[in-house]
Amino acid sequence: MIKHTPPMGWNSWNTYGPNINEKLIKETADAMVDTGLLAAGYEYLVIDDCWSERQRDENGRIVPSKEKFPNGMKAVADYVHSKGLKFGMYSCAGNYTCAVYPGSFEFEFIDAATFAEWGVDYLKYDYCFRPYWQKGHILYKRMGHALANCGRDILFSACSWGVDETHKWIKETGAHMWRSTGDIVDTWKSIKELALKQVELQPYNGQGCFNDMDMLVVGMYGKGNVALDGCTDEEYRTHFSLWAFLNSPLMIGCDVRNMSDATKEILTNRDIIALNQDPAGRQPYLADNNTNIMTWVKSLEGGDIAIGFFNLTDNNQCPWIPFDNFGINRSANKALQLTNLWTGEDIGVYKDIYRAPVMLPHTCMVLRGKLVDAK
Ligand code: GAL
């Protein structure tokens, strides 16, 4: 499998942590279809940690929790598939998962075969309780080989939190995405920290193996497993826009059975999602001299140019961007016809420079520009 665009879906961890079961997963599958999330591109439903028994069976096979998943995982996978979704699961490169359930170390081929048998389409692979004498790249290569030979196309989602210089070796392992950050929590501070950390790691992002900035906290509002203070809708909008602009996988983490209208509107903004899923898959880059504001630019399929202003500061800002910062010089005699992707508004044709109106703290402005002849 080659992934040309960042994977999109839902993962159980952010809201539910260990409190997962068959009923919840089925209801989530229903909600992903009924609320239009699947239609917007969110196709993977992923069960994170805490789904198994604490012990393997006598044949060394991992066993789903009898209490949480009484009908086994094949039944869950079948249900998820029947809704037109793909099914994801979780394991770990160490002896145990982070919540101390059996990990796949020394069981890589058995586990990959089991996942294939159940109909798994996606494996998130964590990094806790790993043997310290073994290098990280070998641990991920072991599972990479097992998945590549299991007879089923399974997306490999590596989760070593960017430690041990993951960026230098992860593309060798067969991973389709890799966690380039530590764990997100539902606060503005966490969103900002993860975004800043991506600046130096962005050159390692690319088609086939995407930098994963961790699951989204949009719509959690301070409730659930990784909830702390919660964020405002404006902050969630900025968070979503950043993850989308930076080509991160978009894995929803809130309770999709009970989304607010604002949450639904943020998560299903097709123009923002289109930036994330742009077929050209170009790397975004920072394009400003203005240190108060993060200004990302990205070239899009068909010649359009995306510009994102992100006010991560606690003050009002008035950003601007000279077009020669991204290679459109005066001599080209071209202008940009700009659309604001959150309001849908055509904001006019600009030559050489665009100056944004006042931006409140923690807000963003995401523009799509079409190159036109200057008048
Ligand atoms: C962490 C991982 C989280 C979640 C958790 C489960 O290591 O980064 O995303 O999977 O383990 O225990």
Side-chain angles (χ1 to χ4, degrees):
M1 173 194 322
I2 303 175
K3 276 310 272 181
H4 292 283
T5 54
M8 293 173 65
W10 175 89
N11 175 300
S12 59
W13 185 253
N14 279 3
T15 292
Y16 302 101
N19 303 316
I20 46 176
N21 56 55
E22 179 177 324
K23 180 168 174 284
L24 167 76
I25 298 304
K26 286 183 167 173
E27 286 175 8
T28 299
D30 294 345
M32 285 178 76
V33 176
D34 298 344
T35 58
L37 290 175
L38 173 62
Y42 298 93
E43 58 174 346
Y44 289 100
L45 184 162
V46 182
I47 299 181
D48 208 283
D49 204 351
C50 310
W51 57 267
S52 74
E53 291 287 332
R54 297 273 180 189
Q55 303 292 337
R56 290 174 178 271
D57 71 11
E58 60 283 6
N59 301 316
R61 284 177 46 122
I62 204 157
V63 184
S65 158
K66 296 195 173 59
E67 200 188 318
K68 297 174 182 171
F69 297 99
N71 300 305
M73 280 302 172
K74 172 105 177 44
V76 179
D78 286 349
Y79 187 83
V80 170
H81 289 148
S82 77
K83 305 297 290 189
L85 294 155
K86 293 182 175 153
F87 182 53
M89 294 203 64
Y90 163 101
S91 188
C92 185
N95 288 303
Y96 301 98
T97 71
C98 300
V100 207
Y101 289 84
S104 291
F105 182 66
E106 303 288 38
F107 293 90
E108 291 89 350
F109 278 84
I110 299 183
D111 287 354
T114 305
F115 293 139
E117 207 177 286
W118 290 343
V120 169
D121 306 298
Y122 175 119
L123 180 68
K124 174 172 170 181
Y125 206 50
D126 220 327
Y127 204 43
C128 285
F129 296 104
R130 60 195 182 277
Y132 282 93
W133 47 267
Q134 189 55 277
K135 296 238 184 303
H137 74 96
I138 295 290
L139 294 173
Y140 280 89
K141 280 172 184 151
R142 289 168 69 135
M143 186 48 102
H145 292 307
L147 291 175
N149 288 280
C150 75
R152 192 176 167 88
D153 244 355
I154 300 184
L155 188 150
F156 189 18
S157 163
C159 181
S160 58
W161 323 298
V163 304
D164 297 340
E165 300 191 303
T166 309
H167 56 284
K168 292 195 176 160
W169 46 261
I170 195 63
K171 287 186 182 171
E172 303 165 0
T173 66
H176 300 96
M177 56 192 264
W178 65 284
R179 269 282 292 284
S180 51
T181 66
D183 285 18
I184 197 167
V185 290
D186 185 18
T187 62
W188 170 253
K189 184 167 168 273
S190 172
I191 290 167
K192 180 172 168 175
E193 270 171 22
L194 299 191
L196 291 172
K197 202 170 167 215
Q198 285 313 292
V199 175
E200 65 186 49
L201 291 174
Q202 202 45 228
Y204 297 92
N205 202 353
Q207 283 188 326
C209 189
F210 297 93
N211 289 23
D212 173 8
M213 296 166 69
D214 203 1
M215 283 96 67
L216 300 165
V217 292
V218 177
M220 289 185 64
Y221 300 109
K223 291 203 207 81
N225 187 44
V226 304
L228 287 172
D229 315 346
C231 301
T232 64
D233 286 331
E234 271 310 327
E235 291 168 338
Y236 287 140
R237 196 169 287 133
T238 303
H239 160 44
F240 185 69
S241 304
L242 268 165
W243 267 231
F245 207 107
L246 298 190
N247 299 339
S248 173
L250 299 176
M251 302 299 291
I252 298 171
C254 69
D255 175 0
V256 294
R257 300 166 306 169
N258 298 296
M259 286 186 286
S260 69
D261 289 346
T263 297
K264 215 182 301 174
E265 183 211 301
I266 293 169
L267 292 173
T268 58
N269 181 318
R270 282 168 195 261
D271 292 332
I272 299 290
I273 292 174
L275 294 187
N276 182 259
Q277 299 288 304
D278 188 71
R282 301 272 174 242
Q283 282 177 355
Y285 52 95
L286 276 181
D288 66 335
N289 305 316
N290 178 346
T291 49
N292 281 327
I293 208 107
M294 255 188 164
T295 304
W296 288 95
V297 172
K298 183 159 74 172
S299 299
L300 302 174
E301 175 78 5
D304 285 3
I305 298 167
I307 302 170
F309 297 114
F310 298 93
N311 183 1
L312 304 186
T313 75
D314 297 331
N315 306 309
N316 289 354
Q317 301 289 344
C318 289
W320 70 88
I321 178 90
F323 296 171
D324 60 5
N325 281 16
F326 49 84
I328 303 296
N329 288 67
R330 272 167 199 275
S331 57
N333 211 28
K334 295 282 178 192
L336 276 181
Q337 180 170 9
L338 295 173
T339 305
N340 178 329
L341 299 186
W342 280 110
T343 62
E345 196 190 351
D346 178 348
I347 58 170
V349 176
Y350 294 83
K351 186 165 185 311
D352 301 329
I353 190 163
Y354 174 70
R355 294 172 194 280
V358 177
M359 287 178 62
L360 300 177
H362 308 181
T363 63
C364 69
M365 187 175 192
V366 187
L367 305 171
R368 186 171 183 128
K370 187 162 261 338
L371 269 186
V372 294
D373 292 335
K375 291 252 159 59

